[in-house]
Amino acid sequence: MKKLLVTGGAGFIGSNFVRMSLSEHSDCFIVNLDKLTYAGNLENLAGFENHPNHKFIKGDICDGLAVEKIIDQYKIDTIINFAAESHVDRSITEPKIFIETNVTGTLTLLEAARDKKLERFIQISTDEVYGQLGPEGKFTEKTPLSPNSPYSASKAAADHLVKAFGHTWGVKYNISRCSNNYGPYQFPEKLIPLMINNALNNKELPIYGDGLYVRDWLYVYDHCTAIWKVLTEAPPGEIYNIGGCSEKTNLEVVGLILDYLKKPKSLIEHVKDRPGHDRRYAIEARKIIKELGWQPSVSFEQGIKKTIDWYLKNEVWLSNVVSGDYQKYYDSMYSNR
Ligand code: NAD
Ligand code: TYD
Protein backbone atom coordinates (compact mmCIF):
# COMPACT_ATOMS: atom_id res chain seq x y z
CA MET A 1 0.00 0.00 0.00
CA LYS A 2 1.48 3.37 -1.06
CA LYS A 3 1.21 6.07 1.62
CA LEU A 4 1.04 9.40 -0.18
CA LEU A 5 1.15 12.94 1.11
CA VAL A 6 -0.64 14.89 -1.63
CA THR A 7 -0.34 18.65 -1.15
CA GLY A 8 -2.81 21.04 -2.78
CA GLY A 9 -5.30 18.20 -3.18
CA ALA A 10 -8.31 20.52 -2.89
CA GLY A 11 -7.21 22.53 -5.93
CA PHE A 12 -7.96 21.79 -9.57
CA ILE A 13 -5.34 19.21 -10.57
CA GLY A 14 -4.75 17.88 -7.04
CA SER A 15 -8.43 17.08 -6.50
CA ASN A 16 -8.66 15.37 -9.89
CA PHE A 17 -5.59 13.32 -8.92
CA VAL A 18 -7.12 12.33 -5.56
CA ARG A 19 -10.38 11.33 -7.30
CA MET A 20 -8.61 9.30 -9.98
CA SER A 21 -6.25 7.57 -7.53
CA LEU A 22 -8.96 6.56 -5.07
CA SER A 23 -11.33 5.46 -7.85
CA GLU A 24 -8.83 3.43 -9.88
CA HIS A 25 -6.14 2.26 -7.41
CA SER A 26 -7.06 0.46 -4.20
CA ASP A 27 -3.38 0.19 -3.20
CA CYS A 28 -2.90 3.77 -1.96
CA PHE A 29 -3.70 5.82 1.12
CA ILE A 30 -3.74 9.60 0.64
CA VAL A 31 -3.23 12.33 3.20
CA ASN A 32 -4.38 15.51 1.49
CA LEU A 33 -2.75 18.66 2.93
CA ASP A 34 -4.23 21.91 1.65
CA LYS A 35 -4.35 25.46 3.00
CA LEU A 36 -7.70 26.11 1.30
CA THR A 37 -6.74 29.40 -0.32
CA TYR A 38 -9.21 31.02 -2.73
CA ALA A 39 -8.27 28.21 -5.17
CA GLY A 40 -8.80 25.33 -2.75
CA ASN A 41 -12.34 24.05 -2.42
CA LEU A 42 -13.63 21.09 -0.43
CA GLU A 43 -16.50 20.80 -2.91
CA ASN A 44 -13.85 19.56 -5.38
CA LEU A 45 -13.61 16.45 -3.19
CA ALA A 46 -17.36 15.84 -2.85
CA GLY A 47 -18.07 12.13 -2.47
CA PHE A 48 -14.53 11.38 -1.28
CA GLU A 49 -14.60 13.14 2.13
CA ASN A 50 -15.20 9.90 4.01
CA HIS A 51 -13.33 7.52 1.73
CA PRO A 52 -11.43 5.09 4.00
CA ASN A 53 -8.19 5.69 2.08
CA HIS A 54 -8.38 9.50 2.23
CA LYS A 55 -7.65 11.91 5.07
CA PHE A 56 -8.00 15.67 4.45
CA ILE A 57 -5.97 18.02 6.66
CA LYS A 58 -6.19 21.80 6.43
CA GLY A 59 -2.66 23.19 6.69
CA ASP A 60 0.25 25.02 5.08
CA ILE A 61 3.17 23.36 3.29
CA CYS A 62 5.40 26.06 4.83
CA ASP A 63 4.67 24.58 8.29
CA GLY A 64 7.54 22.08 8.65
CA LEU A 65 6.43 20.74 12.02
CA ALA A 66 2.94 19.94 10.74
CA VAL A 67 4.42 18.22 7.67
CA GLU A 68 6.79 16.08 9.79
CA LYS A 69 3.95 15.15 12.15
CA ILE A 70 1.84 13.94 9.23
CA ILE A 71 4.73 11.91 7.80
CA ASP A 72 5.27 10.18 11.16
CA GLN A 73 1.61 9.67 12.01
CA TYR A 74 0.59 8.22 8.64
CA LYS A 75 3.92 6.54 7.77
CA ILE A 76 4.10 8.51 4.53
CA ASP A 77 6.53 7.15 1.91
CA THR A 78 6.01 9.67 -0.93
CA ILE A 79 5.20 13.38 -1.24
CA ILE A 80 3.47 14.61 -4.40
CA ASN A 81 3.60 18.40 -4.33
CA PHE A 82 0.72 20.05 -6.22
CA ALA A 83 0.32 22.93 -3.75
CA ALA A 84 1.10 26.27 -5.33
CA GLU A 85 -0.03 29.70 -6.23
CA SER A 86 -0.75 28.92 -9.85
CA HIS A 87 -2.08 31.95 -11.74
CA VAL A 88 0.28 34.10 -13.84
CA ASP A 89 -1.93 37.23 -13.71
CA ARG A 90 -2.03 37.13 -9.90
CA SER A 91 1.77 36.70 -9.81
CA ILE A 92 2.06 39.97 -11.72
CA THR A 93 -0.06 41.89 -9.19
CA GLU A 94 1.12 40.08 -6.00
CA PRO A 95 4.36 38.14 -6.50
CA LYS A 96 5.37 37.70 -2.85
CA ILE A 97 2.98 34.88 -1.94
CA PHE A 98 4.30 32.97 -4.99
CA ILE A 99 7.77 32.95 -3.44
CA GLU A 100 6.40 31.92 -0.03
CA THR A 101 4.30 28.98 -1.23
CA ASN A 102 6.08 27.86 -4.37
CA VAL A 103 9.68 28.29 -3.16
CA THR A 104 9.69 28.25 0.67
CA GLY A 105 6.86 25.71 0.72
CA THR A 106 8.69 23.34 -1.62
CA LEU A 107 11.89 23.80 0.41
CA THR A 108 10.01 22.91 3.60
CA LEU A 109 8.63 19.72 2.03
CA LEU A 110 12.07 18.78 0.69
CA GLU A 111 13.63 19.15 4.15
CA ALA A 112 10.98 16.84 5.55
CA ALA A 113 11.50 14.32 2.70
CA ARG A 114 15.25 14.37 3.37
CA ASP A 115 15.04 14.15 7.17
CA LYS A 116 12.38 11.43 7.14
CA LYS A 117 14.18 9.53 4.36
CA LEU A 118 11.09 9.26 2.15
CA GLU A 119 11.13 6.90 -0.82
CA ARG A 120 10.23 9.61 -3.35
CA PHE A 121 9.48 13.32 -3.77
CA ILE A 122 7.42 14.23 -6.85
CA GLN A 123 7.31 17.88 -7.85
CA ILE A 124 4.44 18.95 -10.10
CA SER A 125 6.01 21.63 -12.25
CA THR A 126 5.11 23.41 -15.45
CA ASP A 127 6.32 23.91 -19.02
CA GLU A 128 6.39 27.64 -18.22
CA VAL A 129 9.78 27.16 -16.50
CA TYR A 130 11.30 26.83 -20.01
CA GLY A 131 10.20 30.34 -21.06
CA GLN A 132 8.59 30.96 -24.42
CA LEU A 133 8.96 29.66 -27.98
CA GLY A 134 8.78 31.29 -31.38
CA PRO A 135 6.62 29.73 -34.12
CA GLU A 136 8.81 26.60 -34.38
CA GLY A 137 10.18 23.97 -31.99
CA LYS A 138 9.08 22.36 -28.74
CA PHE A 139 10.33 22.21 -25.15
CA THR A 140 12.23 19.03 -24.30
CA GLU A 141 13.42 17.98 -20.84
CA LYS A 142 16.86 19.34 -21.82
CA THR A 143 15.65 22.85 -22.72
CA PRO A 144 17.37 25.31 -20.34
CA LEU A 145 15.09 26.93 -17.76
CA SER A 146 14.35 30.55 -18.68
CA PRO A 147 11.17 31.63 -16.85
CA ASN A 148 9.54 34.96 -17.66
CA SER A 149 6.77 35.61 -15.10
CA PRO A 150 7.00 35.74 -11.30
CA TYR A 151 4.90 32.53 -11.31
CA SER A 152 7.20 30.61 -13.64
CA ALA A 153 10.29 32.03 -11.89
CA SER A 154 9.01 30.66 -8.57
CA LYS A 155 8.29 27.25 -10.13
CA ALA A 156 11.75 27.16 -11.75
CA ALA A 157 13.33 28.02 -8.38
CA ALA A 158 11.44 25.10 -6.85
CA ASP A 159 12.63 22.74 -9.62
CA HIS A 160 16.23 23.81 -8.96
CA LEU A 161 15.78 23.15 -5.22
CA VAL A 162 14.40 19.67 -5.91
CA LYS A 163 17.43 18.83 -8.07
CA ALA A 164 19.78 20.36 -5.47
CA PHE A 165 18.30 18.18 -2.71
CA GLY A 166 18.80 15.16 -4.93
CA HIS A 167 22.40 16.11 -5.70
CA THR A 168 23.39 17.19 -2.18
CA TRP A 169 21.50 14.79 0.07
CA GLY A 170 20.41 12.00 -2.23
CA VAL A 171 16.68 12.80 -2.00
CA LYS A 172 15.00 10.56 -4.58
CA TYR A 173 12.84 12.77 -6.77
CA ASN A 174 10.98 13.16 -10.03
CA ILE A 175 9.84 16.39 -11.65
CA SER A 176 6.95 16.48 -14.10
CA ARG A 177 6.45 19.52 -16.33
CA CYS A 178 3.05 19.70 -17.96
CA SER A 179 1.34 22.05 -20.36
CA ASN A 180 -1.91 23.97 -19.69
CA ASN A 181 -4.50 21.74 -18.03
CA TYR A 182 -8.27 22.00 -18.49
CA GLY A 183 -11.23 19.96 -17.28
CA PRO A 184 -13.63 19.62 -14.32
CA TYR A 185 -13.15 21.66 -11.11
CA GLN A 186 -10.91 24.40 -12.59
CA PHE A 187 -11.30 27.79 -10.93
CA PRO A 188 -12.67 30.33 -13.44
CA GLU A 189 -9.66 32.64 -13.38
CA LYS A 190 -7.86 30.53 -16.03
CA LEU A 191 -8.72 30.88 -19.72
CA ILE A 192 -11.08 27.96 -20.37
CA PRO A 193 -13.37 28.01 -17.30
CA LEU A 194 -13.43 31.82 -17.31
CA MET A 195 -14.60 31.86 -20.93
CA ILE A 196 -17.17 29.11 -20.34
CA ASN A 197 -18.59 30.97 -17.34
CA ASN A 198 -18.73 34.30 -19.18
CA ALA A 199 -20.27 32.77 -22.30
CA LEU A 200 -22.94 31.04 -20.21
CA ASN A 201 -23.79 34.45 -18.73
CA ASN A 202 -23.62 36.24 -22.11
CA LYS A 203 -20.75 38.37 -20.77
CA GLU A 204 -17.79 39.66 -22.78
CA LEU A 205 -14.91 37.18 -23.37
CA PRO A 206 -11.73 39.18 -22.62
CA ILE A 207 -8.99 38.08 -25.02
CA TYR A 208 -5.56 39.50 -24.20
CA GLY A 209 -3.91 41.29 -27.14
CA ASP A 210 -4.32 39.72 -30.58
CA GLY A 211 -5.40 36.32 -29.17
CA LEU A 212 -2.78 34.51 -31.25
CA TYR A 213 -0.84 33.28 -28.22
CA VAL A 214 -0.41 29.51 -28.36
CA ARG A 215 -0.73 26.95 -25.57
CA ASP A 216 -0.64 23.15 -25.61
CA TRP A 217 -3.77 21.87 -23.86
CA LEU A 218 -3.79 18.76 -21.63
CA TYR A 219 -7.01 17.21 -20.32
CA VAL A 220 -6.61 17.02 -16.54
CA TYR A 221 -7.51 13.31 -16.30
CA ASP A 222 -4.68 12.54 -18.74
CA HIS A 223 -2.29 14.58 -16.62
CA CYS A 224 -3.33 12.53 -13.58
CA THR A 225 -2.70 9.19 -15.32
CA ALA A 226 0.74 10.48 -16.34
CA ILE A 227 1.57 11.38 -12.73
CA TRP A 228 0.46 7.90 -11.63
CA LYS A 229 2.89 6.43 -14.19
CA VAL A 230 5.69 8.62 -12.81
CA LEU A 231 4.81 7.58 -9.25
CA THR A 232 4.78 3.88 -9.96
CA GLU A 233 7.27 3.38 -12.81
CA ALA A 234 9.80 6.22 -13.06
CA PRO A 235 13.39 5.75 -11.95
CA PRO A 236 14.51 8.42 -9.43
CA GLY A 237 16.12 11.60 -10.76
CA GLU A 238 14.14 11.65 -14.02
CA ILE A 239 12.23 14.65 -15.36
CA TYR A 240 9.22 14.18 -17.65
CA ASN A 241 7.41 16.62 -19.92
CA ILE A 242 3.66 15.92 -20.14
CA GLY A 243 1.66 17.44 -23.00
CA GLY A 244 -1.64 16.93 -24.74
CA CYS A 245 -0.40 17.15 -28.37
CA SER A 246 -3.02 19.92 -28.77
CA GLU A 247 -1.56 23.29 -29.70
CA LYS A 248 -4.21 25.98 -30.13
CA THR A 249 -4.33 29.78 -30.25
CA ASN A 250 -6.49 31.39 -27.60
CA LEU A 251 -8.90 32.55 -30.31
CA GLU A 252 -9.25 28.94 -31.55
CA VAL A 253 -10.02 27.74 -28.00
CA VAL A 254 -12.62 30.43 -27.42
CA GLY A 255 -14.12 29.84 -30.87
CA LEU A 256 -14.70 26.15 -30.03
CA ILE A 257 -16.33 27.08 -26.71
CA LEU A 258 -18.67 29.58 -28.38
CA ASP A 259 -19.60 27.14 -31.16
CA TYR A 260 -20.39 24.34 -28.71
CA LEU A 261 -22.51 26.67 -26.55
CA LYS A 262 -24.13 28.20 -29.68
CA LYS A 263 -23.12 31.70 -28.58
CA PRO A 264 -22.11 34.54 -30.96
CA LYS A 265 -18.49 35.45 -31.73
CA SER A 266 -19.46 39.06 -30.97
CA LEU A 267 -18.98 38.25 -27.28
CA ILE A 268 -15.20 38.26 -27.90
CA GLU A 269 -13.57 41.48 -26.74
CA HIS A 270 -9.87 42.14 -27.33
CA VAL A 271 -8.46 43.78 -24.18
CA LYS A 272 -5.10 45.14 -23.03
CA ASP A 273 -2.40 42.49 -23.11
CA ARG A 274 -0.76 40.81 -20.10
CA PRO A 275 2.68 42.36 -19.42
CA GLY A 276 5.48 40.01 -20.52
CA HIS A 277 2.96 37.61 -22.08
CA ASP A 278 4.71 34.41 -23.29
CA ARG A 279 3.89 33.93 -26.99
CA ARG A 280 3.95 30.17 -27.37
CA TYR A 281 4.41 26.99 -25.32
CA ALA A 282 4.71 23.56 -26.94
CA ILE A 283 5.71 20.31 -25.28
CA GLU A 284 7.74 17.40 -26.61
CA ALA A 285 6.31 14.54 -24.52
CA ARG A 286 8.12 11.71 -26.34
CA LYS A 287 10.10 10.67 -23.24
CA ILE A 288 7.11 9.78 -21.03
CA ILE A 289 5.32 8.18 -24.01
CA LYS A 290 8.33 6.02 -24.91
CA GLU A 291 9.77 5.24 -21.48
CA LEU A 292 6.61 4.94 -19.35
CA GLY A 293 4.07 4.00 -22.04
CA TRP A 294 1.74 6.93 -21.28
CA GLN A 295 -0.66 8.41 -23.88
CA PRO A 296 -3.27 11.18 -23.66
CA SER A 297 -6.73 9.57 -23.94
CA VAL A 298 -8.62 12.42 -25.59
CA SER A 299 -8.10 15.00 -28.33
CA PHE A 300 -8.69 18.65 -27.48
CA GLU A 301 -11.97 18.62 -29.42
CA GLN A 302 -13.23 15.70 -27.25
CA GLY A 303 -11.82 17.09 -24.00
CA ILE A 304 -13.31 20.55 -24.42
CA LYS A 305 -16.79 19.06 -25.02
CA LYS A 306 -16.46 16.90 -21.87
CA THR A 307 -15.33 19.98 -19.96
CA ILE A 308 -18.18 22.22 -21.14
CA ASP A 309 -20.69 19.44 -20.41
CA TRP A 310 -19.25 19.15 -16.89
CA TYR A 311 -19.67 22.89 -16.25
CA LEU A 312 -23.22 22.75 -17.62
CA LYS A 313 -24.07 19.84 -15.29
CA ASN A 314 -22.37 21.42 -12.28
CA GLU A 315 -24.07 24.82 -12.18
CA VAL A 316 -24.25 24.73 -8.38
CA TRP A 317 -20.47 24.18 -8.07
CA LEU A 318 -19.89 27.04 -10.51
CA SER A 319 -22.28 29.47 -8.86
CA ASN A 320 -20.75 28.73 -5.42
CA VAL A 321 -17.25 29.33 -6.80
CA VAL A 322 -18.15 32.65 -8.42
CA SER A 323 -19.99 33.95 -5.36
CA GLY A 324 -18.12 35.83 -2.60
CA ASP A 325 -14.85 37.51 -3.59
CA TYR A 326 -14.81 36.32 -7.21
CA GLN A 327 -16.64 39.35 -8.63
CA LYS A 328 -14.23 41.68 -6.79
CA TYR A 329 -11.30 39.77 -8.30
CA TYR A 330 -12.83 39.88 -11.78
CA ASP A 331 -13.51 43.61 -11.61
CA SER A 332 -10.03 44.43 -10.33
CA MET A 333 -8.42 42.30 -13.04
CA TYR A 334 -10.54 43.38 -16.01
CA SER A 335 -11.84 46.91 -15.29
CA ASN A 336 -8.55 48.57 -16.31
CA ARG A 337 -7.86 46.41 -19.38
P1 NAD B 1 -4.81 25.48 -8.09
O1 NAD B 1 -4.48 26.93 -7.91
O2 NAD B 1 -6.14 25.08 -8.65
O3 NAD B 1 -4.67 24.72 -6.69
C1 NAD B 1 -3.62 24.95 -5.80
C2 NAD B 1 -3.99 24.31 -4.46
O4 NAD B 1 -2.88 24.52 -3.57
C3 NAD B 1 -5.22 24.95 -3.82
O5 NAD B 1 -6.07 23.94 -3.33
C4 NAD B 1 -4.65 25.76 -2.66
O6 NAD B 1 -5.52 25.87 -1.57
C5 NAD B 1 -3.40 24.95 -2.31
N1 NAD B 1 -2.37 25.75 -1.66
C6 NAD B 1 -1.90 26.97 -2.03
N2 NAD B 1 -0.97 27.38 -1.15
C7 NAD B 1 -0.81 26.39 -0.25
C8 NAD B 1 0.03 26.22 0.89
N3 NAD B 1 0.91 27.17 1.24
N4 NAD B 1 -0.06 25.08 1.58
C9 NAD B 1 -0.97 24.12 1.24
N5 NAD B 1 -1.78 24.23 0.18
C10 NAD B 1 -1.70 25.36 -0.55
O7 NAD B 1 -3.63 24.90 -8.96
P2 NAD B 1 -3.65 23.75 -10.05
O8 NAD B 1 -4.04 24.34 -11.36
O9 NAD B 1 -4.40 22.59 -9.53
O10 NAD B 1 -2.10 23.41 -10.15
C11 NAD B 1 -1.53 22.35 -9.36
C12 NAD B 1 -0.04 22.30 -9.64
O11 NAD B 1 0.18 22.07 -11.03
C13 NAD B 1 0.70 23.60 -9.31
O12 NAD B 1 1.92 23.28 -8.72
C14 NAD B 1 0.91 24.27 -10.65
O13 NAD B 1 2.07 25.07 -10.66
C15 NAD B 1 1.04 23.06 -11.56
N6 NAD B 1 0.62 23.30 -12.96
C16 NAD B 1 -0.66 23.70 -13.24
C17 NAD B 1 -1.04 23.89 -14.57
C18 NAD B 1 -2.44 24.27 -14.95
O14 NAD B 1 -2.72 24.41 -16.16
N7 NAD B 1 -3.37 24.43 -14.02
C19 NAD B 1 -0.10 23.69 -15.61
C20 NAD B 1 1.20 23.33 -15.26
C21 NAD B 1 1.53 23.11 -13.94
P1 TYD C 1 -4.05 31.08 -18.41
O1 TYD C 1 -5.22 30.16 -18.37
O2 TYD C 1 -3.98 32.19 -17.41
O3 TYD C 1 -2.74 30.17 -18.36
P2 TYD C 1 -1.18 30.55 -18.61
O4 TYD C 1 -1.03 32.02 -18.59
O5 TYD C 1 -0.52 29.92 -17.43
O6 TYD C 1 -0.82 29.94 -19.93
O7 TYD C 1 -3.97 31.75 -19.86
C1 TYD C 1 -3.92 30.94 -21.02
C2 TYD C 1 -3.82 31.90 -22.20
O8 TYD C 1 -5.03 32.66 -22.29
C3 TYD C 1 -2.70 32.93 -22.06
O9 TYD C 1 -2.16 33.19 -23.35
C4 TYD C 1 -3.41 34.17 -21.54
C5 TYD C 1 -4.78 34.08 -22.21
N1 TYD C 1 -5.91 34.68 -21.47
C6 TYD C 1 -6.75 35.60 -22.10
O10 TYD C 1 -6.55 35.96 -23.28
N2 TYD C 1 -7.80 36.11 -21.40
C7 TYD C 1 -8.04 35.77 -20.10
O11 TYD C 1 -9.02 36.28 -19.50
C8 TYD C 1 -7.18 34.81 -19.47
C9 TYD C 1 -7.42 34.39 -18.05
C10 TYD C 1 -6.13 34.29 -20.20
Side-chain angles (χ1 to χ4, degrees), residues 237-252:
E238 294 295 327
I239 296 174
Y240 296 93
N241 283 352
I242 307 170
C245 309
S246 297
E247 275 188 60
K248 296 271 177 275
T249 67
N250 296 335
L251 280 173
E252 284 170 334

Side-chain angles (χ1 to χ4, degrees), residues 117-135:
K117 300 185 174 45
L118 296 195
E119 286 171 22
R120 199 62 65 92
F121 184 94
I122 299 178
Q123 174 68 1
I124 306 304
S125 185
T126 166
D127 60 358
E128 299 189 29
V129 297
Y130 297 122
Q132 66 176 334
L133 294 163

Side-chain angles (χ1 to χ4, degrees), residues 50-238:
N50 299 318
H51 192 288
N53 288 5
H54 180 218
K55 169 79 184 163
F56 179 81
I57 297 176
K58 184 176 176 190
D60 192 331
I61 58 167
C62 298
D63 181 349
L65 284 179
V67 170
E68 291 198 2
K69 199 170 146 211
I70 290 169
I71 292 173
D72 288 341
Q73 184 176 350
Y74 294 96
K75 300 189 170 39
I76 296 297
D77 52 59
T78 302
I79 293 176
I80 310 182
N81 183 27
F82 292 90
E85 289 294 330
S86 67
H87 189 35
V88 173
D89 289 321
R90 287 183 194 251
S91 82
I92 293 167
T93 51
E94 276 185 64
K96 202 164 175 207
I97 185 71
F98 285 71
I99 303 306
E100 283 165 21
T101 291
N102 300 359
V103 184
T104 307
T106 303
L107 172 66
T108 307
L109 295 172
L110 282 164
E111 287 176 327
R114 175 196 62 196
D115 296 348
K116 299 291 175 186
K117 300 185 174 45
L118 296 195
E119 286 171 22
R120 199 62 65 92
F121 184 94
I122 299 178
Q123 174 68 1
I124 306 304
S125 185
T126 166
D127 60 358
E128 299 189 29
V129 297
Y130 297 122
Q132 66 176 334
L133 294 163
E136 301 294 324
K138 291 186 179 192
F139 299 130
T140 74
E141 289 82 356
K142 294 199 169 73
T143 303
L145 304 199
S146 182
N148 288 321
S149 71
Y151 163 68
S152 54
S154 70
K155 293 295 289 185
D159 284 14
H160 283 308
L161 280 171
V162 173
K163 287 184 79 174
F165 269 65
H167 188 80
T168 309
W169 289 289
V171 170
K172 293 193 173 63
Y173 71 85
N174 295 105
I175 299 172
S176 62
R177 296 187 180 133
C178 64
S179 53
N180 287 55
N181 283 222
Y182 67 103
Y185 301 103
Q186 189 169 29
F187 189 82
E189 63 183 353
K190 306 277 168 59
L191 179 75
I192 288 179
L194 187 143
M195 297 299 173
I196 295 172
N197 183 48
N198 282 18
L200 287 173
N201 291 294
N202 299 310
K203 271 178 75 174
E204 76 287 347
L205 306 191
I207 287 282
Y208 300 165
D210 62 9
L212 298 178
Y213 294 84
V214 174
R215 299 292 183 261
D216 171 72
W217 291 97
L218 173 64
Y219 190 59
V220 65
Y221 174 81
D222 289 335
H223 185 198
C224 294
T225 62
I227 296 167
W228 189 267
K229 283 268 186 196
V230 172
L231 170 70
T232 53
E233 295 181 32
E238 294 295 327

